C-alpha cells in the first residue's frame, strides 16, 4: 500500500466538523495548539520580567533570549519530550529551554503547571468573547435594519401556533432582537467578570513565591499584579486552589448556552415562516433543496443553526459536573473534559452567529402571501369592530352579536368543511341588517388598524435600546457573510 501524502493523511483521520467545515479561521486559531503554546511562552516571559523587576537574579540577556524565541516552537521536539515525560507543561519547558539555553534555569521559576495552563485558558476565553461579541452585534444590527424596514407591515400573530391578533413583521423581529440584546449583555458581563489566576503556586498559597522573595509578602502581591497586567487583566482571583474555580467555566458556558437557545428560537420561527411562505432565508440561484424534489427550498441555514444550537445548549452540563467533583484544591479529571467542552462551545457559538448573520442579511418577505393569510383570518377578528360600528349606527348589541355569530359559523363551515375561502364579509355585505355600515366595512377591515402600537414600539425599542447597545461595535459592523458550505 502506498504511503499516503499529506492531503490523503488528513482525509484518513477524523477531524471535527466544527473546524474543518464551519468555524471561522480566527476562532479556530484561538483554540489552536500554536496559540496555546505561544501563550505559554509569553506567560513564562511575563513571569521572568516581573521577577526580574522585583529583584530576582535574572539578566537582560536571559529576557532577550526568551523574547526572541516566543514563536520558535519545535512541535516535534515537544511531542518527543511529552512522550518521554508524560507531562505536557514540562515537555514545553524543556522545548523552550532547548532554544533558550541561557534562560533555561529561570523558565517557569516558582510556578506550577496551572500557571500556564489555567492562565492561558482565561486568556483564550477572553479572546473568544472578543471574537463573538462583534459577530453578535452584527446580527443584531442586520435584524434591526430588517425590523425598521418592516415595522409597519401587518402580519398574522400566533399564540399556541394558532391565529391570534395581528402584529407586524418588524415587531416580531424585535422579539428576536430583544433576546439577542440580552445575550450581548450577558457575554459582555461574562467577559468582564473574568479574572486572571495569576501566580498562586501549587495549592494557591503562593508559598513558592514567598520563598523566592524571602518572605516579602508585598513583592509576592506585586508579582501577581504585574503578571496579570502584562496579560491584559485588571484583576486576579484573590483565592484559588491549584486551579481557578471551575464555576468560572459554568458562567462562561451558561451565557453561550443561553445564546444557543435564542438562536434556536429565532431559526425555528424562520423555519415555520418558510413553511407558511411568508418569510424565507436566502436561497442561492443554483442551490438545491432536495435531491429528489427539485421544487423544494429547504431552510438549510436555519436548520444548521438549530442543529448546532442544540449542541451548544448541552455543553454547559460538562462544567456543571466538573465543578461539582473538584476535590479540595483540584483533581485532574477536569482536564480532558475541558479540552473538549470549552473549545467546542466557542467554536459552535461562532458558527451559529456567522450563519445567522448570513440569514439576517438575506431574509426575503412575501407581502402578498402575508396579506392573503390576513384576509383569511381578519374577518373573524373584526367582529367586535363591526358590532361597535352597528351600535353607533343605532343597532342593538345583542341582536348584532347573534347575527354575526350565525354568519361567522356559516363562513367557518365553508373554510373547514369545504376548503373554501373565508366569505364572512361577503355574507355581511349581503345581509340588509348591516346596510347602515356597509360603506364602513373596508375601513373596519384595514389591517393596520389591528396592529396597535406595534410600529411605535419598534421605533422606540430600536432607538432607545438597540442602537445604543451597538455603539461599542460600530467600527466592526461592516462586511457581509458568505457561507462557504
Amino acid at each position: 500500500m502506498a504511503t499516503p501524502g499529506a492531503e490523503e493523511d488528513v482525509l484518513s483521520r477524523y477531524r471535527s466538523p466544527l473546524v474543518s467545515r464551519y468555524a471561522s479561521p480566527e476562532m479556530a486559531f484561538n483554540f489552536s495548539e500554536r496559540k496555546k503554546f505561544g501563550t505559554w511562552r509569553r506567560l513564562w516571559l511575563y513571569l521572568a520580567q516581573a521577577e526580574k523587576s522585583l529583584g530576582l537574579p535574572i539578566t537582560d540577556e536571559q529576557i532577550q533570549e526568551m523574547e526572541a524565541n516566543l514563536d520558535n516552537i519545535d512541535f516535534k521536539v515537544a511531542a518527543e519530550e511529552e512522550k518521554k515525560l508524560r507531562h505536557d507543561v514540562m515537555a514545553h519547558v524543556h522545548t523552550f529551554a532547548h532554544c533558550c539555553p541561557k534562560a533555561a534555569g529561570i523558565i517557569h521559576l516558582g510556578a506550577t503547571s496551572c500557571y500556564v495552563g489555567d492562565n492561558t485558558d482565561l486568556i483564550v476565553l477572553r479572546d473568544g468573547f472578543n471574537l463573538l461579541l462583534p459577530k453578535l452585534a452584527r446580527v443584531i444590527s442586520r435584524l434591526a435594519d430588517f425590523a425598521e424596514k418592516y415595522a409597519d407591515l401587518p402580519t398574522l400573530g400566533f399564540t399556541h401556533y394558532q391565529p391570534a391578533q395581528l402584529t407586524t413583521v418588524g415587531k416580531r423581529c424585535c422579539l428576536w432582537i430583544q433576546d439577542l440584546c440580552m445575550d450581548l449583555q450577558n457575554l459582555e458581563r461574562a467577559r468582564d467578570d473574568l479574572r486572571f489566576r495569576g501566580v498562586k503556586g501549587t495549592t494557591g498559597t503562593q508559598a513558592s513565591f514567598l520563598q523566592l522573595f524571602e518572605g516579602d509578602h508585598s513583592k509576592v502581591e506585586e508579582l501577581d499584579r504585574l503578571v496579570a497586567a502584562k496579560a491584559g487583566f485588571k484583576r486576579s482571583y484573590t483565592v484559588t486552589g491549584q486551579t481557578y474555580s471551575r464555576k468560572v467555566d459554568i458562567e462562561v458556558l451558561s451565557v453561550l448556552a443561553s445564546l444557543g437557545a435564542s438562536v434556536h428560537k429565532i431559526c425555528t420561527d424562520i423555519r415555520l415562516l418558510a413553511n407558511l411562505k411568508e418569510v424565507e432565508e436566502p436561497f442561492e440561484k443554483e442551490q438545491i433543496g432536495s435531491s429528489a424534489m427539485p421544487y423544494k427550498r429547504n431552510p438549510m441555514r436555519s436548520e444548521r443553526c438549530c442543529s448546532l444550537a442544540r449542541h451548544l445548549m448541552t455543553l454547559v452540563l460538562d462544567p456543571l459536573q466538573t465543578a461539582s467533583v473538584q476535590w479540595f484544591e483540584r483533581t485532574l479529571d477536569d482536564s480532558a473534559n475541558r479540552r473538549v467542552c470549552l473549545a467546542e462551545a466557542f467554536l459552535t457559538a461562532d458558527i451559529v452567529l456567522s450563519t445567522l448573520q448570513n440569514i439576517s442579511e438575506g431574509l426575503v418577505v412575501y407581502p402578498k402571501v402575508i396579506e392573503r393569510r390576513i384576509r383569511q383570518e381578519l374577518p373573524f377578528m373584526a367582529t367586535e369592530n363591526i358590532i361597535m360600528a352597528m351600535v353607533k349606527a343605532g343597532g342593538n348589541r345583542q341582536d348584532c352579536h347573534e347575527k354575526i355569530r350565525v354568519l361567522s359559523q356559516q363562513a367557518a363551515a365553508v373554510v373547514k368543511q369545504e376548503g373554501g375561502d373565508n366569505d364572512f364579509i361577503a355574507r355581511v355585505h349581503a345581509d340588509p341588517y348591516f346596510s347602515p355600515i356597509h360603506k364602513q366595512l373596508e375601513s373596519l377591515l384595514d389591517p393596520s388598524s389591528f396592529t396597535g402600537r406595534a410600529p411605535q414600539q419598534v421605533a422606540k425599542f430600536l432607538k432607545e435600546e438597540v442602537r445604543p447597545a451597538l455603539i461599542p461595535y460600530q467600527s466592526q459592523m461592516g462586511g457581509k457573510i458568505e457561507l462557504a458550505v
Side-chain angles (χ1 to χ4, degrees), residues 320-384:
L320 281 168
Q321 295 183 68
T322 295
S324 71
V325 296
Q326 286 300 286
W327 302 347
F328 302 118
E329 280 65 47
R330 81 87 50 103
T331 64
L332 197 61
D333 64 352
D334 63 337
S335 178
N337 185 286
R338 294 176 69 252
R339 289 176 192 267
V340 176
C341 71
L342 295 180
E344 286 201 356
F346 278 87
L347 289 165
T348 307
D350 180 69
I351 298 158
V352 297
L353 287 176
S354 294
T355 309
L356 186 55
Q357 180 184 337
N358 176 262
I359 292 170
S360 61
E361 288 172 346
L363 285 172
V364 181
V365 177
Y366 297 104
K368 293 298 182 182
V369 178
I370 294 172
E371 182 184 348
R372 183 178 186 277
R373 182 157 287 109
I374 289 174
R375 286 202 308 268
Q376 287 291 313
E377 301 293 342
L378 189 60
F380 293 151
M381 297 178 192
T383 54
E384 187 65 21

Side-chain angles (χ1 to χ4, degrees), residues 2-18:
T3 303
E7 182 178 352
E8 181 60 33
D9 190 46
V10 168
L11 296 174
S12 299
R13 286 186 264 172
Y14 172 79
R15 292 183 298 158
S16 169
L18 293 177

